[in-house]
Amino acid sequence: MAETPFGATRRWAAPGSKSAELFGRAQGVMPGGNTRTTVYMAPYPPYAASGEGCFVTDVEGDRRLDCLNNYTSLIHGHAHPAIVEAAGRRLAQGSSFPLPTPEEIELATLVCDRLPSAEHVRFTNSGSEAVMMAVKGARAFTRRPRIAKFEGAYHGSYDYVEVSLGSTPENWGSLAAPASIEYSLGTPPSVLEDVVVLPFNRTEPTLARIEREAKSLAAVVVDPVPNRVGLIPARRDFLQALREVTAKHGIVLIFDEVISFRVGYHGAQGAFGVTPDVTTLGKIIGGGFPVGAVAGRADVMSVFDPTSGQPRAPHGGTFNANPVTMAAGIAAMRLLTKDAYARLDETGAKLRASLQACFEGAGVAGGVTGMGSLFRLHGTDREVVDYRSARATPDEAARLQRIVRRLLEHGVLMSITGLGCLSTPMGDAELESLVETFAAILAMEPSS
Ligand SMILES: Cc1ncc(COP(=O)(O)O)c(C=O)c1O
């Protein structure tokens, strides 16, 4: 293969590499040498040493264009000077207290200013916790036990929202009424009974099922741009229909914008023009530090209010709203001006089109989905409209894995699932090199 723009970055894979040695040590103290399923890749991943702007350097000294940005969190890339300064200054003054700090009010104000559905905000330490608290809050508000979520959609590690995350053709049931399938083995049957599973972007069966189950439903949880469903944006009329049916039955409509808040200044809800009752956030709002938030209408959020005695939904958390995360988040969000979003949008659309053209030019079956600064590669040229159509066959999955692995060996870091995203420090030169690398890698594939 001819020289690719970023050069070869394969040293981690060599026997005796520093990454191999670290993985050996990790296996002695962590199951499978791993403490975060998402970052595992066979037989072992390169270990990161440092990051600067849109590049990350591994412990072997190989540098890659970071198209994953810690799973979409680092919208300004690594070690942005304004974020380093804000977090460092706050860290030097103490990192957490059993008292609130002024910073939490500032970040909450910023979220309320930008997010149409946000009147009040609660901070958590992760997106998973934010979703868990949003669901618990909805139950407390409605006094109903069950929730509805979409087949294949990821919302973090809470039992209820993991239901049907990994459904297969053998167990997923009918499209109109998908089966509730456990993801983590041993999930209590009661959890499965309390989760109604819906087909994404299919209005009629979704509405029919919600109508049938409405009396017991506290919440409908939907990610408007669900990554694991194939990063296919929701149709606006679909979200609008969800808005109407949930309002009619007093069900709390929760938008999970842990990832999709990065698609627009007012989040995905601003881009689609549909306002939920509650939104969950995470990732970009922490400026690279652990974070989550539940934001919503004041009456729903009042379930967390402790001022008149025991809240209807008590919510603690030792590190909630810790001031280092808050300071970093404020700095990161301030850098995200409307102009910054416009540039990310424009570059994202251009990149998706270029990658798609590479598939077509190489005669390799593949496709690209996404929105704003998000993109996802697929190992198929079939039209993907929902979880079932996006689910890769073994051949398609193998093709995608090969492509992502070769990208990793040629200076580009992406998710093994095909997810990628932009960061503000990425310039035209980096993106052109990315497309050139991608084309060179596809040329290694047999055409299909
Ligand atoms: C849509 C969505 N919701 C929730 C989560 C969970 O967030 P965290 O990993 O911070 O717990 C994620 C994480 O990727 C996500 O993509």
Side-chain angles (χ1 to χ4, degrees):
M1 182 180 182
E3 182 75 359
T4 43
F6 300 115
T9 51
R10 266 194 291 264
R11 285 186 282 182
W12 104 94
S17 71
K18 289 184 181 158
S19 294
E21 194 265 326
L22 287 167
F23 187 67
R25 275 175 54 201
Q27 282 179 302
V29 286
M30 289 183 263
N34 175 271
T35 185
R36 181 180 174 199
T37 315
T38 17
V39 302
Y40 177 70
M41 64 182 81
Y44 60 88
Y47 278 70
S50 62
E52 190 185 31
C54 55
F55 288 97
V56 61
T57 304
D58 69 19
V59 291
E60 329 297 334
D62 280 338
R63 200 176 80 134
R64 295 180 183 83
L65 181 69
D66 189 352
C67 293
L68 192 47
N69 295 294
N70 197 17
Y71 279 83
T72 77
S73 331
L74 304 167
I75 200 159
H76 302 296
H78 299 274
H80 189 290
I83 301 173
V84 171
E85 193 280 325
R89 185 165 29 88
R90 188 56 245 204
L91 180 59
Q93 295 166 342
S95 58
S96 64
F97 306 93
L99 297 170
T101 65
E103 282 85 353
E104 65 196 44
I105 308 168
E106 204 171 331
L107 188 56
T109 304
L110 197 147
V111 168
C112 290
D113 287 347
R114 292 192 180 195
L115 196 67
S117 63
E119 290 176 349
H120 285 164
V121 180
R122 304 277 298 192
F123 289 106
T124 63
N125 297 292
S126 68
S128 296
E129 274 178 68
V131 172
M132 176 177 77
M133 290 318 301
V135 166
K136 292 176 75 169
R139 290 192 196 119
F141 183 70
T142 60
R143 315 277 167 123
R144 297 174 188 163
R146 305 172 79 212
I147 64 162
K149 59 126 5 204
F150 288 88
E151 189 170 54
Y154 182 67
H155 302 287
S157 320
Y158 185 39
D159 285 352
Y160 294 85
V161 292
E162 275 187 343
V163 171
S164 294
L165 176 54
S167 303
T168 64
E170 292 72 42
N171 64 20
W172 62 28
S174 76
L175 182 62
S180 294
I181 302 298
E182 69 179 0
Y183 184 62
S184 195
L185 299 188
T187 299
S190 59
V191 169
L192 302 177
E193 280 156 26
D194 281 337
V195 179
V196 173
V197 181
L198 304 168
F200 184 71
N201 254 349
R202 310 256 180 187
T203 308
E204 256 179 52
T206 292
L207 293 188
R209 200 148 198 222
I210 294 175
E211 289 281 358
R212 271 202 308 279
E213 310 285 354
K215 282 198 176 59
S216 63
L217 286 181
V220 170
V221 184
V222 62
D223 176 345
V225 195
N227 169 35
R228 300 251 198 128
V229 176
L231 205 69
I232 305 147
R235 288 197 330 273
R236 185 186 180 281
D237 61 291
F238 176 72
L239 292 178
Q240 187 56 40
L242 286 181
R243 177 60 292 181
E244 282 160 21
V245 73
T246 49
K248 174 175 153 200
H249 292 289
I251 300 166
V252 176
L253 180 60
I254 301 174
F255 275 14
D256 181 353
E257 294 221 31
V258 166
I259 288 186
S260 71
F261 192 42
R262 72 151 45 228
V263 305
Y265 189 86
H266 302 292
Q269 57 200 255
F272 286 109
V274 179
T275 305
D277 303 302
V278 168
T279 304
T280 53
L281 301 171
K283 310 238 187 212
I284 65 167
I285 66 159
F289 286 82
V291 78
V294 185
R297 243 178 37 218
D299 60 334
V300 183
M301 295 296 290
S302 72
V303 298
F304 301 116
D305 178 354
T307 56
S308 45
Q310 169 86 346
R312 280 168 282 165
H315 170 218
T318 305
F319 292 103
N320 287 0
N322 75 80
V324 180
T325 294
M326 298 293 107
I330 294 161
M333 294 308 293
R334 283 205 187 125
L335 290 165
L336 277 179
T337 57
K338 288 187 173 163
D339 283 352
Y341 275 108
R343 194 178 152 265
L344 285 169
D345 256 15
E346 191 188 326
T347 325
K350 211 165 116 188
L351 179 66
R352 284 189 297 275
S354 303
L355 297 175
Q356 181 72 51
C358 288
F359 275 124
E360 284 154 22
V364 172
V368 188
T369 53
M371 181 174 175
S373 55
L374 295 165
F375 63 96
R376 187 173 173 120
L377 304 177
H378 297 264
T380 178
D381 50 13
R382 174 179 64 246
E383 193 191 4
V384 292
V385 295
D386 58 10
Y387 173 69
R388 296 187 182 193
S389 55
R391 197 169 181 279
T393 63
D395 272 359
E396 292 162 357
R399 178 178 314 122
L400 184 66
Q401 265 178 25
R402 244 183 350 256
I403 292 170
V404 172
R405 166 83 186 199
R406 284 179 180 148
L407 284 168
L408 193 66
E409 293 172 352
H410 291 89
V412 178
L413 177 62
M414 278 188 60
S415 158
I416 44 165
T417 60
L419 174 68
C421 66
L422 303 181
S423 62
T424 55
M426 282 181 185
D428 290 345
E430 283 86 22
L431 293 167
E432 277 161 26
S433 298
L434 167 60
V435 173
E436 211 181 302
T437 306
F438 191 62
I441 279 163
L442 289 188
M444 299 165 76
E445 285 290 311
S447 48
S448 32

